[in-house]
Each structure stands twice: as structure tokens, then as C-alpha cells.
Amino acid sequence: MMKASVIGLGKLGSPLAACLAARGLTVIGVDQDPRKVEAINQGQPPVHEPGLAEMLAQSEGRLTATADIEAAVHDTQITFIVVSTPSDPAGGFSLRYVEPVCQAIGRALAKKNEYHLVCLTSTVMPGTTGGPVREMLEKASGKRMGGGKGKDFGLCYSPEFIALGSVIRDFLNPDMLLIGESDAHAGDVLQSLYAQVCENKPSVARMAFVNAEVTKLAVNTYVTTKISYANMLARICERLPGANVDVITSALGLDTRIGAKYLKGAVSYGGPCFPRDNLALVQLAQQLGVPPDLAQTVDRFNRLQGIWLADLVQHRVQHRKQGTVGILGLTYKAGTDVVEEAVGFLLTKELASRGMKVLAFDPAYGKISAPAAIANVSFATTAIECISKSDLVVLATSWPEFSAIPGGQWVRPGDPRTVIDCWRAVKFLHDTPGVDYLGLGIGEGFV
């Protein structure tokens, strides 16, 4: 089994390191945050991710952590770079965290006499892996990329297609493996490692760096387009009595040219990847003189969904002369504590900025990482408290525990409590006395 180093122990790096170690590899994790290093060395999850604690236990001491990149590279045969590549003002990705990592890796490679494979998993703009990343590694190491099994190094670009909240499942059971390779030997080494780790037998797509870099952006942008199409159908259904977006998308997904995944029909997509990857493809198209209209329209439509939802809430509150708005769910999806571009988080901020009284609850918000601030918002300690103290409730994130709340907890005798269900997760409340239920995507004559 190879020895691997994983640089960056954040929300993707920690699960990746744990999965590799649990499958038998000796792994050295690297991070400049001493709290993450200490957590890993104590066998504790440094980030919130379902199943990570169990995966760390299965590693049985094969995973250790340090802040020393050079030592980790020296003692391993393959290095995964899993650091953040933040969006830059132009819409692309910054390499400000990748650069010092590549320089440190290069210094370590200069002292090694055996072959080493470097694998970049962070999302980058096309031309980056074979351009700046290769140049930094070669300059710092004095070695050349490629060269097969000799003393030089191999380089791969292999981004993961995983979602927070299901990182471990997605990593161990990927739909496909995308490998951009410097040469055939580098690709062979990485594919061999994946074969040792994956529980399934995914398709493997091997190609040049630039093709892999474009593919990563293209996959996520295609998915956001599909999500937005389903959301448009949901808005149409809401204005047609008797229409139901679930019935329509279920039929739509039976067509093998389309498929059922990501056809939920709800509200805007969010998270750390989809919105920015969509914008990155816009920037790439513009730089190359290609009309970016499709990706731009998807981004604009998605952002307007949050405003539409805020307008709907405000209209219902004013029409019913209600007061407190309860928001159930601030994270962008169940199973994660990330609120970046999350519909519930953005809705909460928007309603508060309009002077409305907002009470929010989320099972994971601020439990491990420091919570993003929201001004002029109160927080409930439980979902039931949030419901009971609110006149109108928006179920913004489909946490399973929300749909498990008994119907009686939602009921308010006399003046019914309004429930806006973005995911149709509590559609059993439809026609329940004491509840004014609005399920997005269901023909209720929305205004």
C-alpha cells in the first residue's frame, strides 16, 4: 500500500485522509491550523461531516497529522493538494493557498531520489495545472514533470465530485473518476490507488490537464442548469391549480436523455461549489470570446429565486397580518454546517434587512465551526420552539428531523400557522386544520 500525504484538512481534506487511512494506506495529513492537527492526532473530527468520526476510528492509527509539508512529502509517495481556491473578483479561482503549498512540495521533491506523484484536487481554471502549478513545482524542485518511473515527479489533476454532507459516501462510491495526467505512468499510479480505495468500480476518464479542468466546471454547471430548469417548472406548477412538480419531474426523469438526478424542483442551489463554478465557466467563455449567455442566465435565475421567496414570505405576512417568521434550516443542505449561498441563510438575512422579525433554527449551525453572523435575528434552541413561536414557518433545508416532527406540533388553533415548505418535506400537513400549508411546486394559486 502506498503512503499518502493530504495537504489541507478542511471539509474535503479530512474525510479524504480518513478514507485513505481506513482503506489501509498510511496517511499524513497536513494543515497550518494547530486545532485541526491536534484533532486528527487525537482521532477526533476537525470538521463537521457525517461518518467522519467512524472513518477516523477505522483508520486504526494509520492517520497522523503535522504542520510540516516538506516532512510529509518526504515520507510519502503521493501527495494530494486539497486547499481552498477562493473565487477571485473576476470570477475565476485564486491560487494564493496553492502557491506556498507547491513551493513547499517542490523543496521536498528536491531532496528525494525516488518518484513522487502530486495530485491537485482543488478546483482551478483551465490551464492552471499544466501552467502555474507545474512551473512552481519544477522551479522549487529543480526536477521535471513526467519522466515515468525515474527521479522526477508526476502530476495529476483529479477533482472530486462530492457534496458536503455525503463526502465519505461520494468519495468511496464515485460515479466516475476524472484524472488529468502529466503522463501515462502518473495516471496509472493514481488509478491504482483509487482502485484500492473505492468500494465500487467507477468509470475512469483519463485525459490531458486542460480537458479535465474544463470537465470539472462543465459537470457542475450542467447540474446547476438542470436544477434551475426544475425550479422553473416548480414556479410554473404553483400557478396552475392541480399541477405538481414532483409528478412532472418524475416523468421527465424517465427519459434516459435527461435522468432523474437533480430534478427536485424547489428553490435556489447553494454551497461552496455550484455557484462559483457556474460563474467561473462564464468568465472562461468571456475570455475566449464565447457567448456565456446560458451559464449567466442560470446564475441570474438562481439568485432571483431567493428574492422571489422573500417577497412571497413578506406578502403572506402582511396579508395575514402575522408577525414572527421562523426559518427552519440555514445550511445549504442537510448533513453539513456550511451556509455559503444557502437559501435559508440568505432568506434570513434578506427578511431581517427588511425589518421583519425572524427566528431561526438549524441542527448544525455553529456547532463546530464559527457561525456566519446574521444581524437582527433570534435563534431557537429546537425546531419545535422555532415553530411554536412563529406565525409563519419556512422549511428551507430538508433536514430529516424536520419532516419527523409530528403534525400536531405544527398546528395552531384559531388563526392557522402558515407553513411554506420549500422541499415538500412535510406535505402531510396539506389540508391539516390549524395549518395554512404552501408546498412549493404544488398548484395552490401562489401570488
Side-chain angles (χ1 to χ4, degrees):
M1 301 291 280
M2 296 181 68
K3 294 182 178 180
S5 45
V6 177
I7 303 176
L9 295 175
K11 292 185 177 297
L12 299 184
S14 288
L16 170 60
C19 286
L20 294 176
R23 298 292 284 175
L25 280 74
T26 298
V27 183
I28 303 175
V30 186
D31 203 284
Q32 299 307 303
D33 185 343
R35 293 172 298 180
K36 292 178 180 177
V37 171
E38 182 180 5
I40 288 291
N41 286 331
Q42 292 181 350
Q44 300 298 317
V47 296
H48 176 81
E49 180 62 35
L52 180 54
E54 293 79 1
M55 200 59 57
L56 288 169
Q58 292 176 32
S59 68
E60 297 179 342
R62 289 184 293 271
L63 173 60
T64 58
T66 178
D68 192 335
I69 294 177
E70 293 186 43
V73 174
H74 182 272
D75 293 338
T76 57
Q77 288 86 47
I78 180 171
T79 298
F80 290 89
I81 302 175
V82 201
V83 298
S84 175
T85 49
S87 297
D88 62 30
F93 304 110
S94 169
L95 298 179
R96 66 175 181 267
Y97 299 120
V98 173
E99 290 175 357
V101 168
C102 287
Q103 291 164 358
I105 292 173
R107 291 192 297 270
L109 294 179
K111 303 171 185 177
K112 295 192 72 169
N113 292 320
E114 65 272 8
Y115 179 84
H116 193 97
L117 177 62
V118 179
C119 179
L120 176 65
T121 71
S122 310
T123 304
V124 295
M125 293 297 286
T128 298
T129 310
V133 170
R134 173 188 61 82
E135 293 164 4
M136 287 184 286
L137 291 170
E138 289 186 338
K139 182 177 180 180
S141 67
K143 296 183 176 183
R144 302 288 293 177
M145 178 187 74
K149 303 178 182 180
K151 296 180 180 180
D152 292 323
F153 67 92
L155 179 61
C156 285
Y157 174 67
S158 185
E160 307 292 347
F161 295 97
I162 53 183
L164 298 181
S166 58
V167 172
I168 292 171
R169 182 195 66 199
D170 296 344
F171 178 71
L172 294 177
N173 298 276
D175 285 338
M176 73 158 177
L177 297 172
L178 177 64
I179 299 176
E181 56 193 37
S182 59
D183 58 278
H185 178 66
D188 289 343
V189 171
L190 185 58
Q191 184 172 345
S192 175
L193 181 144
Y194 283 142
Q196 299 174 44
V197 175
C198 293
E199 295 176 347
N200 62 345
K201 294 183 178 180
S203 299
V204 182
R206 291 172 55 173
M207 58 195 72
F209 293 140
V210 67
N211 291 328
E213 290 163 336
V214 174
T215 298
K216 175 58 165 68
L217 297 181
V219 167
N220 281 356
T221 303
Y222 194 91
V223 170
T224 61
T225 304
K226 195 172 182 181
I227 292 171
S228 297
Y229 187 83
N231 290 345
M232 181 189 70
L233 290 177
R235 302 293 83 79
I236 291 173
C237 288
E238 289 153 7
R239 293 175 177 267
L240 288 172
N244 187 315
V245 72
D246 290 328
V247 174
I248 294 166
T249 55
S250 293
L252 192 63
L254 295 177
D255 191 316
T256 57
R257 296 170 299 175
I258 299 172
K261 288 186 176 181
Y262 291 100
L263 280 178
K264 178 63 177 176
V267 285
S268 54
Y269 57 80
C273 296
F274 281 170
R276 74 189 198 120
D277 286 6
N278 201 87
L279 289 175
L281 192 65
V282 169
Q283 187 208 30
L284 177 65
Q286 290 174 328
Q287 287 178 341
L288 298 174
V290 176
D293 303 60
L294 180 57
Q296 281 181 323
T297 299
V298 168
D299 179 71
R300 182 170 61 253
F301 177 85
N302 189 64
R303 295 183 186 281
L304 288 174
Q305 290 298 286
I307 302 300
W308 168 82
L309 182 57
D311 290 343
L312 174 64
V313 171
Q314 186 172 19
H315 172 79
R316 299 292 298 193
V317 167
Q318 292 174 344
H319 179 70
R320 296 285 301 276
K321 297 181 180 180
Q322 295 173 327
T324 301
V325 177
I327 306 294
L328 289 179
L330 297 172
T331 57
Y332 88 99
K333 61 174 292 187
T336 179
D337 60 348
V338 174
V339 299
E340 187 175 350
E341 299 290 337
V343 62
F345 184 77
L346 295 177
L347 177 65
T348 300
K349 292 180 66 175
E350 177 65 23
L351 295 178
S353 72
R354 298 184 185 189
M356 302 179 69
K357 187 177 180 181
V358 182
L359 178 66
F361 173 77
D362 188 280
Y365 178 73
K367 289 294 188 289
I368 294 183
S369 56
I374 312 179
N376 303 317
V377 172
S378 301
F379 291 90
T381 57
T382 66
I384 292 177
E385 178 192 357
C386 183
I387 295 169
S388 65
K389 292 183 177 180
S390 301
D391 300 295
L392 181 150
V393 177
V394 180
L395 196 158
T397 310
S398 56
W399 284 91
E401 45 264 61
F402 295 162
S403 58
I405 296 173
Q409 297 287 349
W410 301 84
V411 170
R412 184 171 63 182
D415 184 19
R417 177 177 291 109
T418 299
V419 176
I420 298 178
D421 184 2
C422 295
W423 300 92
R424 301 174 296 285
V426 290
K427 57 187 178 182
F428 57 83
L429 294 176
H430 195 278
D431 295 329
T432 298
V435 176
D436 178 21
Y437 177 81
L438 291 176
L440 298 192
I442 299 175
E444 299 284 2
F446 278 30
V447 294

